[in-house]
Amino acid sequence: MLLVVGPLLPAVEASTEDGCPAGGERASKEQGRRSRRHHQKHAAEELWVFGDSYADTGNLGNLGRELTHAWYDPYGKTFPRRPAGRFSDGRVLTDFVASALGMRTPVAYKARRRASRETLARGMNFAVGGAGVLDTGNFQRNISAQIDLFQAMHRTQQRGCGKRTALVVVSGNDYAYAADKDNGTSAAIAYIPTVVRELREQLRRLRDEAGMRRVVVTNLHPMGCTPVFTRPLNYTGCDPLANAGAAQHNAALRSVLAALDPNNRTFLLLDVHTPFAAFLLDDNNGDSDNKKFKSTLRPCCESFRPDGYCGEEDENGTRQYTLCDDPGRYFYWDDVHPTQAAWAAVARTFRAAVKSFLST
């Protein structure tokens, strides 16, 4: 919008709090184009993160050891050497995507009031453990509600403003919820069209309403290879039906992105499935000493009981789990989440693609 102060004085461009030009009917198209070019040229890179525990860097509140393991030992053992709300021994996907952009990890929404203005200008992480595209029964903000938070923080949205990038991380909580509710993987697979349809709407919102210049969205890893599925098989193989469901989700997501963005200008499919599969399904990636991971299907932190959890203690404070000596030799940290070393290995496969896409 233009602030008109009189016929003999120059117009002054109004801006939003984040330095982006405010939109308005009075601004001409040419002025709008010039303004966007100016702000894109001089604006800092921003990363806004939406999703679940694969991306959460501290948004899940501390509700006790049983419900929120990530705030208790042994989580954070590698980084930052204490529990800090990350669902791993160390860094997670958000950290590595931020690194690919040449920036620090954006502050978690929960920690925003302690952050500096400079930190807040780089973006924010709204992702929270347990969240899904739809409601998952975990009482956490789904992706739609996370985008609502972003929009509430920005009075005016303008597509193409600055260098806003959204990272959307979906790792399967919707399908875990459907399987638990209806007691089977087949029920989860039947839920795929509903989940992908809603995901499409949220991706559209990020582009058309939230002003994101680029949107990076993950596909699903081979879910049947997570330890929660491999433990019943004595860690000797993956669940083929769960993996087939992940493949079906990924195919539907590719179709959605092709329809939303035929010219691949706004959306980037961040393929985590391929590198996960390369490590988890490759017969040559066994227990040989010259392999990156000593163990791919068994987690570093393993509960004593199948229905237990990493970090569990009994009433006397005695550990009810085993912990490996070197998380860097394990792909999975607990029954669902990768180690920092696994995320680092996966990130090496997409780092160049992310940098290239976001630099255009």
Side-chain angles (χ1 to χ4, degrees), residues 17-33:
E17 289 180 347
D18 56 4
C20 294
E25 294 179 0
R26 293 175 184 244
S28 70
K29 291 182 179 180
E30 181 58 31
Q31 288 171 323
R33 283 193 292 268

Side-chain angles (χ1 to χ4, degrees), residues 133-154:
V133 177
L134 298 156
D135 292 332
T136 58
N138 292 319
F139 305 104
Q140 302 301 335
R141 294 185 183 91
N142 63 25
I143 288 179
S144 176
Q146 292 172 29
I147 297 173
D148 290 343
L149 278 181
F150 169 86
Q151 291 187 300
M153 293 175 62
H154 295 78

Side-chain angles (χ1 to χ4, degrees), residues 86-109:
R86 282 175 170 82
F87 288 79
S88 183
D89 64 304
R91 296 172 178 85
V92 295
L93 180 58
T94 297
D95 300 295
F96 290 101
V97 172
S99 176
L101 295 178
M103 61 185 295
R104 295 179 182 176
T105 300
V107 66
Y109 173 78

